[in-house]
Amino acid sequence: AESMKYSDIISFSPDGRAFIVYDKAKFEEMVIPKFFSHRSCQSFMRQMYLYGFERLRKDRRSDVYYHKDFLCGRPDLLQNIERNQNEDPDFYNMDAISPLPTSWTSEDNKSFSIIHRVAQQIRPQMMSNDENIDITSKSIHCAKFKDDLCKLGGFPYRLYLILINAECMNYSDIVSFLPHGRAFIICDRAKFEEMVIPKFFSHKSFRSFQRQIYKYRFKRLRNERHTDAYYHKDFLRGRPDLLQIIKIG
């Protein structure tokens, strides 16, 4: 970094146990193209997670990353850093998902109480037989829905809300839980980006959605039949009580 005069963009931390990207825009523009076949900071970050690096700190301009075997002055340890080659979990031979504890209610978790309320707003209109009702616009764009969505907690809660309402909102052919309930699948990226993301997020980008997926340590299934299927051990159909466990990695 010093010899190539970009140590103000990226360098090891003072103790040599982590590295810092000081300016992500310049890193993407001036450094990445010199060493990789792509020019995307998102692709770089995705590789970081695949090789087991952890993000220690994030602010508007800089990121700090760490791996126990990535140390300044110790190139001999690089051979220990391997891409995660874990096979997909054998979901269908796992025990059934344990039921929601009878002692737990939506009131035990503020964010899920909002999910419950929003779902109650959506479903009566969705089940209406009145063909003259524009179900999507009346339920999704109403002020109350938007207000509740703004109060909702982190990304996992919004994702769970998307999935539990997939059938009644008529987009289960676009995104849904897989039959075992331990992973979800996006069947049509283009429609998901166009029709689903804007209803629940402030952006309209699949890449931004996918970036959030990786930040929260969801893993992408390798099975060719499920090219856009993701799972997290604590993201389970019927277990909203576990959502609070899912944190940014």
Side-chain angles (χ1 to χ4, degrees):
E2 289 187 8
S3 64
M4 296 185 69
K5 298 182 179 180
Y6 52 75
S7 58
D8 59 327
I9 300 175
I10 181 174
S11 71
F12 275 108
S13 59
D15 62 8
R17 294 182 175 275
F19 73 90
I20 307 169
V21 178
Y22 297 104
D23 191 318
K24 287 178 279 189
K26 288 185 178 180
F27 180 65
E28 187 172 50
E29 177 186 353
M30 301 173 61
V31 180
I32 290 178
K34 289 182 170 66
F35 296 91
F36 299 94
S37 58
H38 61 81
R39 295 172 176 263
S40 168
C41 200
Q42 277 76 43
S43 295
F44 175 82
M45 290 172 61
R46 191 156 54 244
Q47 289 293 311
M48 296 292 298
Y49 294 136
L50 286 174
Y51 280 88
F53 283 77
E54 298 178 20
R55 183 160 57 184
L56 302 183
R57 191 189 73 218
K58 174 191 175 184
D59 55 39
R60 289 185 178 181
R61 290 181 61 84
S62 64
D63 289 335
V64 180
Y65 297 94
Y66 160 84
H67 189 291
K68 65 182 181 64
D69 291 315
F70 192 80
L71 307 176
C72 182
R74 292 297 307 273
D76 56 307
L77 297 178
L78 294 177
Q79 60 185 340
N80 298 334
I81 303 175
E82 297 181 349
R83 181 170 176 153
N84 185 358
Q85 297 292 339
N86 291 339
E87 296 295 325
D88 292 347
D90 189 0
F91 295 115
Y92 291 98
N93 285 323
M94 290 182 177
D95 294 335
I97 297 173
S98 56
L100 188 67
T102 55
S103 60
W104 190 89
T105 67
S106 63
E107 297 303 320
D108 293 333
N109 183 287
K110 183 178 179 180
S111 287
F112 193 77
S113 68
I114 295 175
I115 285 182
H116 180 74
R117 185 165 67 247
V118 171
Q120 295 306 309
Q121 294 170 21
I122 293 172
R123 285 171 180 162
Q125 294 186 65
M126 287 298 162
M127 302 308 293
S128 172
N129 293 322
D130 186 348
E131 295 180 356
N132 295 319
I133 293 180
D134 182 352
I135 292 175
T136 301
S137 64
K138 287 202 172 189
S139 62
I140 297 305
H141 297 292
C142 68
K144 182 60 177 173
F145 177 89
K146 290 294 185 182
D147 182 56
D148 279 336
L149 203 57
C150 288
K151 296 176 184 175
L152 197 57
F155 174 83
Y157 293 95
R158 294 190 181 217
L159 178 57
Y160 192 82
L161 181 60
I162 288 173
L163 290 163
I164 64 172
N165 287 292
E167 288 193 13
C168 69
M169 291 176 68
N170 298 320
Y171 55 73
S172 58
D173 59 327
I174 299 174
V175 60
S176 66
F177 275 110
L178 286 171
H180 46 68
R182 294 180 179 274
F184 72 94
I185 185 168
I186 299 169
C187 304
D188 189 321
R189 275 196 189 191
K191 288 184 178 180
F192 182 69
E193 187 171 49
E194 176 187 354
M195 301 172 62
V196 180
I197 289 178
K199 292 179 173 65
F200 295 89
F201 299 97
S202 59
H203 61 81
K204 298 183 179 182
S205 167
F206 182 80
R207 291 182 67 183
S208 295
F209 172 84
Q210 196 174 50
R211 189 159 60 246
Q212 289 291 310
I213 285 287
Y214 292 127
K215 282 183 180 178
Y216 280 89
R217 295 301 193 188
F218 282 76
K219 296 182 179 180
R220 189 173 179 175
L221 299 183
R222 295 175 176 274
N223 191 316
E224 292 181 359
R225 295 177 302 165
H226 301 150
T227 54
D228 266 333
Y230 303 87
Y231 76 98
H232 188 292
K233 66 181 181 64
D234 294 313
F235 191 82
L236 308 175
R237 182 175 56 205
R239 293 299 306 271
D241 55 311
L242 300 178
L243 295 175
Q244 61 188 329
I245 300 174
I246 304 174
K247 306 293 184 183
I248 291 178

